[in-house]
Structure formats: structure tokens, C-alpha cells
Amino acid sequence: TVYYYKDRFLKGGETPVPVEDRAFNYGDGIYEVVRFHRDRSFGLQEHLERLRDSAEAIRMALPFPLEEIESIVRSAVSQVEDEVVDVYFQISRGEALRVHPFPQTDPVLSLYARPGRIYTEDFREAGVAVITLPDERWSNCYIKSLNLLPNVLAKQAAVEAGAYEAVLIRDGWVTEASASNVFGYHDGVFFTHPANRHILNGITRRFLLRAIQKLGFTVQEEPMSEEFFQNEVESAFITSTTMELMPISKINQRELHPLGPESPVWQILQAFRTL
Ligand code: PMP
């Protein structure tokens, strides 16, 4: 793993997180995760733009211009030799005496790049079980904030229930999952929650919407009711940078049909990969 903190790459084992970094004390910051296949990124520009938008939403300046962040990201990736590399980068509001108002200090970039977490095709064909849980997050989920406590608690509850993800329900509607977006398929139509303040507008979600449209399927950016999702959808999947598209094999107690390579969901994954 290659680590970067503030203004330099770190030597082996060195991780100097100041105790009063606001990311540490308040979760006061934002982040992104981008996947690279060698030097070809998946949607790097969109990730950088979302980072800029998240920063603006929390009224935080970026420590460097976007182009410079891009070149630090690319430099980190080039130092990992694997074919697939995942880069995590976050910006905290900086290191300052721990009082709530914004500090005068400069924001701080930290980053790591490491071999990508690849899911085997067998794992993908088997799909993953999900449970549904109440969405207990705030109303600014479009910001990719470092505050992930509700997401962590939801994911842990899923794992403890023998599932892989927690699909979140807000006022009776499926929003997204703890670390991914959610799609359902019913009667020739794909559904996913509209990109408003109740979900993170995933970059994978956006590319998949394009893939679905390119294949000529109908897609409605409309929320699914909990009842529709639980009882009606024929198939469903979750999406994220590291998972790409992951079929759902079970929603609480209901098993979903296995998804063969001839299924629309499989076709979409192939189309997505060639975008
Ligand atoms: N929603 C949430 C809550 C997430 O944490 C993530 C991934 N971090 C996503 C959706 C998927 O976003 P992306 O496709 O940009 O990875």
C-alpha cells in the first residue's frame, strides 16, 4: 500500500495522523474511491468533480487545484504494480485546536492506493444476500462525507444477519445501500432512486444508467417502495466502484432467480465494462 499525507508520500510504516485532525475528531471532511486498470481510470473526472461538489457543499476549500489532486492520485497509482488499483483519497478540514467552528488552518489531503479488491465471476454469479433496514442517515446523503457511522452500523447488522449489504428504507422507500446504490428490475423496466439529497449519486450508478439506456431497456429514476422491492422485483443489484454491478440473490427471506449470462442484468454488466 502506498500512503500519502498532507504534502508527501510516507515511508514504510509511518502514519502520522495528528490527534487534532478534524477528520479524526469530527469526521469533518469528504472522500472518494476510484478504480484504475493500470493507468486507465474508471470515471476519474466524475470522481474529481464529485469531490469538488462535496467540498463546496460543506464549505471547505480544496488544498490543491483538482488537476494537482489528479496528478497525486495518478502518481500513487503508478507506484502500485498490480493490474487493478483502488485509490482512496480524503480531504479533512485540517489540524486545529478542537473547537467546532471552522479553523483557520488549511485542508489536508490524505490518500492510499492499493491492489483492487476483485470479485470473482463465480461470486458475482452467485450474487449476494441483502437485508432491509431503516435509513437512519441525515438529509444530505449526496455529500460523500467522512461521517459513515450509520453506514457502518447498517453494514455490520447485515453481516451479523449473514447478508452482504443493508438496503436502506426511508419513509417506506428504498434509497440506496450502506455502501452502494440499488437497482431493481420488473416487467422490462429498471428502477433506481433519483439522484437527490437522499442518496449518493454513485459514479457506477451513472455509468450503469448509460449502459441500460444504450441497450434499449427502459429505466425509471423513481424510488421503489419497500413492498415492491421486497415482493415484486424479478431481479435486483447493487453498484459501486469496487463491486461494479453485484446481483442480489436474496432480499431478507425471499430468494431471487439466479442470474444467468443471458439475463438482462448480465448484458448490462458487459455493456458497462465497455463504456
Ligand atoms: N452509496 C453509498 C452510500 C456509497 O458509500 C457508495 C460507494 N462508496 C455508493 C453509493 C456507490 O458510489 P460509487 O459508484 O461512486 O462508488
Side-chain angles (χ1 to χ4, degrees):
T1 303
V2 172
Y3 291 102
Y4 180 93
Y5 185 76
K6 203 168 193 170
D7 52 8
R8 65 197 172 91
F9 286 101
L10 304 179
K11 307 258 164 17
E14 186 196 6
T15 49
V17 177
V19 171
E20 288 186 299
D21 187 307
R22 291 176 67 96
F24 207 38
N25 292 161
Y26 294 108
D28 186 4
I30 54 170
Y31 76 106
E32 283 295 329
V33 179
V34 187
R35 170 157 290 185
F36 281 74
H37 294 259
R38 283 318 324 150
D39 54 354
R40 188 179 153 258
S41 79
F42 202 90
L44 177 59
Q45 280 321 311
E46 294 183 52
H47 283 281
L48 288 167
E49 282 161 23
R50 187 171 65 184
L51 183 79
R52 182 199 57 208
D53 295 346
S54 292
E56 217 174 274
I58 69 162
R59 300 169 56 203
M60 186 180 75
L62 295 177
F64 312 110
L66 277 191
E67 306 76 61
E68 204 168 323
I69 295 174
E70 174 176 352
S71 65
I72 294 166
V73 167
R74 287 188 184 281
S75 163
V77 171
S78 72
Q79 294 171 57
V80 181
E81 279 173 7
D82 290 58
E83 182 60 32
V84 180
V85 179
D86 290 339
V87 190
Y88 171 94
F89 47 110
Q90 72 169 41
I91 300 176
S92 123
R93 209 182 296 272
E95 182 192 358
L97 187 71
R98 189 189 173 283
V99 288
H100 287 53
F102 294 171
Q104 297 303 312
T105 50
D106 293 329
V108 173
L109 169 70
S110 28
L111 172 156
Y112 65 74
R114 63 167 63 128
R117 179 177 178 192
I118 312 285
Y119 294 86
T120 65
E121 290 306 282
D122 282 353
F123 186 93
R124 206 185 296 281
E125 262 184 66
V128 295
V130 302
I131 59 166
T132 51
L133 284 179
D135 190 343
E136 294 180 337
R137 301 171 305 159
W138 67 334
S139 20
N140 290 310
C141 295
Y142 70 100
I143 301 171
K144 203 160 167 59
S145 153
L146 294 178
N147 284 272
L148 292 172
L149 190 51
N151 307 62
V152 167
L153 293 174
K155 186 76 158 192
Q156 181 61 22
V159 169
E160 286 174 8
Y164 191 76
E165 250 292 31
V167 168
L168 306 175
I169 311 290
R170 186 182 185 104
D171 299 331
W173 302 95
V174 172
T175 51
E176 60 181 334
S178 82
S180 52
N181 292 111
V182 179
F183 285 72
Y185 175 76
H186 183 76
D187 239 353
V189 181
F190 286 90
F191 295 89
T192 196
H193 196 284
N196 62 19
R197 58 201 296 124
H198 296 313
I199 68 160
L200 181 77
N201 185 3
I203 308 296
T204 320
R205 172 188 180 279
R206 301 180 205 175
F207 277 78
L208 270 165
L209 285 172
R210 284 174 220 159
I212 292 170
Q213 277 155 351
K214 198 169 149 193
L215 286 173
F217 290 105
T218 311
V219 49
Q220 297 192 351
E221 287 182 72
E222 278 175 22
M224 294 175 273
S225 71
E226 178 176 18
E227 198 276 326
F228 176 78
F229 182 68
Q230 178 64 63
N231 302 315
E232 305 290 329
V233 293
E234 293 150 41
S235 50
F237 54 90
I238 48 181
T239 70
S240 78
T241 294
T242 51
M243 281 191 284
E244 304 176 286
L245 178 164
M246 186 62 71
I248 294 175
S249 56
K250 200 173 174 194
I251 303 173
N252 296 313
Q253 297 315 312
R254 179 168 77 106
E255 308 258 358
L256 294 190
H257 300 298
L259 295 157
E262 69 298 332
S263 70
V265 171
W266 221 257
Q267 291 170 42
I268 286 162
L269 176 61
Q270 298 315 324
F272 164 80
R273 285 178 171 162
T274 56
L275 274 181

